[in-house]
Amino acid sequence: MQMEKLVSLCKRRGFLFQSSEIYGGLQGFWDYGPLGVELKRNVKEAWWRDMVNAHDDLTAPAGAPSPYEMTGLDCTIIMHPQVWKCSGHYDLFHDHMVDCRETKKRYRHDQVRGRWVEAKDQKVFVTTMAAIEDEQADVQARALKFFHLRAKHADQLKWVGDFLALPEVDDMSQVLGPDAKSLDTLTAPREFNLMFKTTIGALGGEDDVSFLRPETAQGIFVNFKNVLDSSRVKIPFGIAQAGKSFRNEITPRNFTFRSREFEQMEIEFFCHPDTSHAWYQYWRDRRMQWYTDMGLAGERLRLREHDPDELSHYSTGTADIEYAFPFLPAGEFGELEGIAHRGDFDLRSHMEGKLDEKSSPLEVQLGPDGKPKWRGSGKDLSYFDDDAWERDKEQLGMKSFKEYLKQNKDAPRPGAPYQFIPHVIEPSAGADRATLAFLCESYDEDQAPDEKGKLQTRTVMRFHPRLAPVKAAVFPLVKKDGMPELAKQVYRNLKANFNVFYDEKGAVGRRYRRQDEIGTPFCITVDGQTLDDQTVTVRDRDSLEQWRVRIDEIVDDLRPRLV
């Protein structure tokens, strides 16, 4: 599939628009149109239902070490600035960027790509920020211009090796920047904090500075004790949240894949340290299965464990669910979701202060004065397993937990196994990236007969029925003989149960094509036979199979097909 076709369809059919387009657009920001908002909402609702609402707290799912509980949160986008200092985002949440001294433009270091080329006894590295499919054409045009050659002399260019990312280039003096005319205009890479700053209140002083959250996870961690005390959940349990996050990406690109404003679907799953690895494996496999069930399958989807040198400073294990997006080079995958074993890093950080990522085992990072560099809340975020204590205290011969702590004061974990800081498994998904993956996977072109039986190329979006923006469309075959009136009655009956669409304009074949192009799973046609026996024709989007159903049985016929 060519990405241009999908981007064109998304705008033409109202899935996605460039933000502020009438003013020239704003890079890295996208608006979801009438169909796009339904698709993305369906993705989020399917995730929430499958992970939270429909979860059985009483039975251990296949592969889970035990039963567990699930609940949800909706936290604010702006939080206390100390949250981001203790979490590490204030110090560590950076991308490396390079500036061009000639054009004054800025680029993300690892996104600048190029090729070595020789001509006129000189070898230079010509860079580009063009889309993957346009890279070679762009670097060739720039190389010809640099060497003062015409297009007809392109055979004088000798290309050396394949495309490389800028960090793989040792000699920066021979690099031609993406928009530069001269060599050696790019600066050395430097860190750029990705958080958006904002100001709280009217004064706007340094003490009023805060940030738009770069992730939803920290709102869950700082509310851990609130959820524990108010909902009576017990370890193991998960807290889910879906919401907006903001990252000031240097060079957002690839449609909605890398945006500055996006939506996440995250779970923080709290468990006992001794069972955390088993829970990590469970959530890794379960989340992979969810994407498969929703229609992402085959060679374009994979689960990849991180190598040790890729792991975050807090993580003892991370896996990425990745998808081969069509805008990436052949053989490359982009991240859909990360499942991370975060250990006790986050809860300890918000208790004690920011932990030093270079320490092992992790210890609080100290400032020049010997005190915590970033002070934690001082709140106790440990978990006390009162059920286990009540079960065991008589066997241990203890009357109180204080007595137990006193006798175990020299142990590495004095309160264990009854009092401990939970370990956390985090499945973190991007709602926008998932929506984009479902768009890419669903796009298809095939041959289907038109109303005269002649085969025509058909564009069809093969969404899973749960995700399809419109579940069914209702047509009268012709606009006469009472068919529109009866079709509108069918439409109204269905509308109470599903998101459906009514269309009576144009030939019925064109109406089918319009619905195929937006991914509607079923089309329902009221025809002459309907007037005689109260049955309608139902047509399946994918198989093109047709069958007849009584009007009063349509809802019951469609419901099991839409799950």
Side-chain angles (χ1 to χ4, degrees):
M1 180 197 71
Q2 294 181 3
M3 197 64 196
E4 293 85 354
K5 291 184 177 181
L6 178 62
V7 173
S8 174
L9 182 145
C10 284
K11 181 177 181 180
R12 186 175 70 253
R13 289 303 187 191
F15 283 98
L16 281 156
F17 309 126
Q18 178 74 51
S19 176
S20 313
E21 184 177 344
I22 64 171
Y23 290 103
L26 187 60
Q27 189 181 21
F29 297 91
W30 296 89
D31 297 332
Y32 285 82
L35 290 176
V37 71
E38 292 292 334
L39 174 62
K40 184 178 173 183
R41 183 175 63 85
N42 289 345
V43 171
K44 293 187 295 181
E45 288 185 353
W47 176 84
W48 190 269
R49 175 161 179 77
D50 292 347
M51 298 300 112
V52 185
N53 280 355
H55 171 68
D56 178 359
D57 294 345
L58 306 178
T59 306
S66 70
Y68 62 91
E69 298 179 78
M70 289 294 298
T71 188
L73 270 181
D74 186 6
C75 304
T76 59
I77 286 171
I78 298 175
M79 296 190 289
H80 194 290
Q82 199 71 9
V83 170
W84 307 113
K85 293 175 180 178
C86 288
S87 69
H89 287 82
Y90 188 80
D91 290 337
L92 303 173
F93 196 56
H94 300 92
D95 272 344
H96 286 89
M97 66 179 183
V98 293
D99 293 319
C100 181
R101 290 182 287 263
E102 177 185 311
T103 66
K104 310 305 180 186
K105 291 187 178 182
R106 178 171 292 165
Y107 312 96
R108 191 169 131 175
H109 188 220
D110 63 347
Q111 289 183 349
V112 179
R113 285 164 51 88
R115 288 187 75 181
W116 287 103
V117 60
E118 293 180 359
K120 297 184 176 181
D121 299 323
Q122 188 178 7
K123 181 180 176 181
V124 299
F125 187 75
V126 183
T127 64
T128 179
M129 292 296 292
I132 295 295
E133 60 270 21
D134 300 325
E135 281 183 332
Q136 182 56 39
D138 188 53
V139 295
Q140 178 167 306
R142 302 194 67 240
L144 289 170
K145 191 170 184 179
F146 176 81
F147 287 113
H148 305 292
L149 296 172
R150 296 190 178 188
K152 64 182 180 180
H153 299 135
D155 58 348
Q156 295 184 27
L157 299 175
K158 182 181 178 182
W159 298 100
V160 182
D162 296 324
F163 275 92
L164 300 174
L166 191 57
E168 300 176 85
V169 177
D170 296 327
D171 188 359
M172 292 292 289
S173 67
Q174 298 304 306
V175 172
L176 180 67
D179 299 284
K181 297 178 181 177
S182 306
L183 298 177
D184 197 19
T185 64
L186 296 181
T187 64
R190 60 190 178 94
E191 291 183 339
F192 175 76
N193 195 291
L194 298 178
M195 288 195 293
F196 280 102
K197 284 186 177 180
T198 188
T199 303
I200 300 175
L203 296 180
E206 188 62 30
D207 292 339
D208 302 316
V209 171
S210 190
F211 304 93
L212 304 185
R213 67 183 181 194
E215 65 175 29
T216 60
Q218 299 305 319
I220 298 177
F221 294 127
V222 299
N223 276 291
F224 169 73
K225 205 69 172 178
N226 288 333
V227 173
L228 199 62
D229 294 343
S230 62
S231 61
R232 300 177 63 199
V233 291
K234 295 181 182 295
I235 295 282
F237 71 91
I239 302 175
Q241 179 173 206
K244 292 275 191 178
S245 294
F246 304 83
R247 297 182 183 179
N248 194 12
E249 296 284 355
I250 301 165
T251 49
R253 60 192 307 191
N254 293 332
F255 206 17
T256 59
F257 181 78
R258 191 177 298 279
S259 303
R260 292 183 167 124
E261 177 181 338
F262 56 96
E263 206 157 357
Q264 290 181 285
M265 307 180 296
E266 290 195 301
I267 294 169
E268 305 304 328
F269 188 81
F270 301 92
C271 58
H272 193 283
D274 294 344
T275 61
S276 59
H277 186 67
W279 283 113
Y280 165 69
Q281 292 180 316
Y282 165 74
W283 278 108
R284 179 197 63 189
D285 297 342
R286 181 172 183 197
R287 291 301 302 141
M288 179 67 172
Q289 187 61 49
W290 186 81
Y291 287 102
T292 302
D293 292 343
M294 290 295 102
L296 298 185
E299 296 179 353
R300 286 191 290 265
L301 186 72
R302 74 178 185 184
L303 179 68
R304 184 182 68 85
E305 285 280 355
H306 280 206
D307 295 328
D309 59 351
E310 292 183 273
L311 295 176
S312 302
H313 53 276
Y314 55 74
S315 180
T316 58
T318 298
D320 283 345
I321 298 172
E322 299 177 327
Y323 181 74
F325 289 94
F327 49 73
L328 297 174
E332 291 192 13
F333 290 74
E335 181 187 346
L336 273 182
E337 176 166 346
I339 301 91
H341 188 312
R342 298 178 75 118
D344 60 6
F345 174 83
D346 299 281
L347 293 180
R348 277 190 60 199
S349 293
H350 291 301
M351 285 175 61
E352 305 167 15
K354 179 184 176 291
L355 300 180
D356 186 350
E357 66 279 1
K358 298 178 182 178
S359 61
S360 181
L362 290 168
E363 297 177 352
V364 174
Q365 186 173 2
L366 304 179
D369 58 359
K371 296 180 180 180
K373 181 179 180 182
W374 302 119
R375 178 179 49 83
S377 68
K379 303 296 183 183
D380 183 6
L381 300 181
S382 65
Y383 176 83
F384 179 66
D385 191 343
D386 53 349
D387 288 345
W389 170 249
E390 290 297 326
R391 183 188 66 231
D392 296 347
K393 69 179 181 179
E394 290 187 11
Q395 182 180 349
L396 294 168
M398 304 284 180
K399 292 184 178 180
S400 70
F401 190 64
K402 287 184 179 180
E403 181 183 358
Y404 178 84
L405 287 176
K406 187 175 181 180
Q407 292 198 18
N408 289 271
K409 62 182 179 180
D410 296 326
R413 296 189 305 178
Y418 306 106
Q419 186 173 31
F420 55 89
I421 299 174
H423 278 204
V424 175
I425 312 302
E426 180 194 72
S428 176
D432 301 273
R433 286 192 180 183
T435 301
L436 178 58
F438 290 124
L439 281 164
C440 293
E441 184 74 15
S442 299
Y443 186 94
D444 192 20
E445 294 178 356
D446 65 8
Q447 297 288 313
D450 60 16
E451 56 269 22
K452 298 179 180 179
K454 185 178 179 181
L455 285 178
Q456 300 286 347
T457 298
R458 176 180 72 140
T459 299
V460 55
M461 299 297 289
R462 301 188 189 277
F463 295 120
H464 187 289
R466 289 181 67 187
L467 305 182
V470 179
K471 307 302 184 187
V474 181
F475 310 148
L477 184 63
V478 293
K479 291 197 291 183
K480 61 181 181 179
D481 300 331
M483 293 184 199
E485 292 75 14
L486 193 52
K488 290 174 183 177
Q489 177 186 327
V490 172
Y491 162 80
R492 293 187 183 102
N493 291 341
L494 286 171
K495 192 70 172 177
N497 297 275
F498 315 113
N499 187 25
V500 296
F501 184 79
Y502 178 82
D503 190 1
E504 60 181 27
K505 297 179 180 179
V508 70
R510 293 197 193 95
R511 284 180 267 171
Y512 280 146
R513 295 295 181 273
R514 288 197 289 263
Q515 296 304 313
D516 292 339
E517 199 170 40
I518 66 172
T520 304
F522 302 102
C523 291
I524 300 163
T525 304
V526 172
D527 53 25
Q529 186 175 337
T530 309
L531 306 177
D532 297 330
D533 61 11
Q534 295 293 293
T535 65
V536 294
T537 299
V538 182
R539 170 201 184 253
D540 181 271
R541 174 198 65 205
D542 296 329
S543 67
L544 302 181
E545 178 189 358
Q546 297 188 13
W547 62 94
R548 297 199 71 87
V549 180
R550 287 187 54 83
I551 288 177
D552 56 4
E553 296 176 354
I554 297 176
V555 172
D556 291 337
D557 182 75
L558 291 184
R559 194 181 301 279
R561 303 176 190 272
L562 294 171
V563 297

